Amino acid sequence: MTINSDDLLNSILDSLTQIEYIRPEDIPNIDLYMDQVTTFMDKRLRDSTRNPGDDKVLTKTMINNYAKNQLLPSPEKKKYSKEHMLLLIFIYYYKNILSIGDIQTLFAPITQKFFKSENGYGLEEIYNEVFSMGEEEVEKLKENVREKYKLAEETFSSAPDEDREFLRKFSFICLLGFDVYVKKLLIEKLVDDLRDKSDAEAKEVKKEKKEKDKEK
């Protein structure tokens, strides 16, 4: 994503409009080897990186670490399925705002219940539902950015002329940053709640098992 500072607001809005999502139908219907996975992800997500010419989207080491930390089910015969790819896309977006532990807490139930689901409702349905909401939110996000930009443009009216442009851009960044900060806190609280409930359920299962063992 490249921002033109000479036309900051319109450049940002254009960039938001151009955000592309990987749709399930874009993913090959055949299982892929590691090199094919990294090539596909790099091709489809490179433009979303901060430095498209240098930044790595996903590396072999990253993917192996995700499997090691139980964020991603192990491949079968060194091949990754379409469902693996969907999970990797989720992880790619979340790794910039959450810790590995938080991602594990968030996606453990998804992986356990819906990876290779046999009840007709699986990862692809979840992915489509979530990302369709994201696409619908773009227009609301653009309006929110416009409001913050207008508010920032009204600040520092008494600052020296030579400093005003920088200070207003700084104000705009602060407004956007505060928004990110608050939402990140909310996400972390929600993940903590999921973790607490999961831990409580695990303790209850362990307690019931212990009681059953005593009865034998």
Side-chain angles (χ1 to χ4, degrees):
M1 182 184 293
T2 302
I3 301 298
N4 178 4
S5 59
D6 294 330
D7 189 11
L8 185 61
L9 179 59
N10 286 327
S11 180
I12 290 172
L13 296 178
D14 287 344
S15 295
L16 292 175
T17 301
Q18 293 168 16
I19 292 176
E20 293 185 4
Y21 300 94
I22 300 178
R23 292 170 172 78
E25 57 266 28
D26 298 330
I27 301 172
N29 284 317
I30 59 172
D31 294 348
L32 304 176
Y33 286 108
M34 176 76 81
D35 287 341
Q36 293 172 309
V37 171
T38 55
T39 298
F40 175 85
M41 299 291 275
D42 187 76
K43 181 179 179 181
R44 298 307 302 262
L45 296 173
R46 173 153 297 282
D47 288 343
S48 68
T49 60
R50 186 174 185 176
N51 301 297
D54 302 312
D55 292 346
K56 296 289 186 182
V57 174
L58 281 173
T59 65
K60 295 178 182 179
T61 301
M62 290 179 189
I63 295 173
N64 286 331
N65 283 337
Y66 297 153
K68 181 179 179 181
N69 286 283
Q70 299 181 333
L71 300 182
L72 188 74
S74 299
E76 294 185 9
K77 298 180 180 179
K78 298 184 179 181
K79 285 187 174 183
Y80 295 83
S81 67
K82 189 172 187 176
E83 290 185 313
H84 281 106
M85 299 292 284
L86 295 174
L87 281 172
L88 281 171
I89 295 167
F90 273 123
I91 293 169
Y92 172 76
Y93 286 113
Y94 275 102
K95 72 184 180 69
N96 293 309
I97 56 174
L98 293 176
S99 68
I100 292 294
D102 284 345
I103 297 174
Q104 185 179 19
T105 297
L106 184 58
F107 283 99
I110 298 293
T111 302
Q112 292 166 7
K113 295 179 181 179
F114 302 104
F115 189 84
K116 290 190 175 180
S117 173
E118 297 180 356
N119 64 7
Y121 198 86
L123 274 171
E124 188 166 335
E125 285 76 17
I126 293 172
Y127 183 93
N128 275 328
E129 191 81 20
V130 170
F131 276 86
S132 66
M133 289 192 300
E135 289 178 316
E136 292 169 2
E137 288 294 309
V138 169
E139 289 304 318
K140 297 177 185 177
L141 178 60
K142 287 166 69 174
E143 185 57 36
N144 182 264
V145 169
R146 287 191 190 97
E147 292 174 0
K148 285 181 169 56
Y149 183 83
K150 181 180 179 181
L151 184 60
E153 285 294 288
E154 294 172 353
T155 61
F156 297 107
S157 56
S158 61
D161 292 346
E162 64 272 20
D163 297 325
R164 194 173 298 130
E165 181 181 354
F166 162 74
L167 289 172
R168 284 177 173 172
K169 185 177 289 187
F170 175 76
S171 180
F172 185 40
I173 291 171
C174 287
L175 287 170
L176 293 171
F178 181 71
D179 190 54
V180 173
Y181 170 74
V182 171
K183 288 177 179 176
K184 185 174 184 292
L185 283 180
L186 290 174
I187 292 170
E188 289 173 343
K189 293 297 182 184
L190 290 168
V191 171
D192 288 343
D193 183 61
L194 288 174
R195 183 182 292 114
D196 291 343
K197 288 180 179 178
S198 177
D199 290 345
E201 289 174 0
K203 287 181 180 178
E204 187 63 29
V205 169
K206 187 176 181 180
K207 180 181 177 182
E208 290 177 359
K209 184 178 182 303
K210 190 175 181 179
E211 290 175 351
K212 287 180 179 178
D213 289 342
K214 286 181 178 179
E215 293 173 358
K216 291 180 180 179

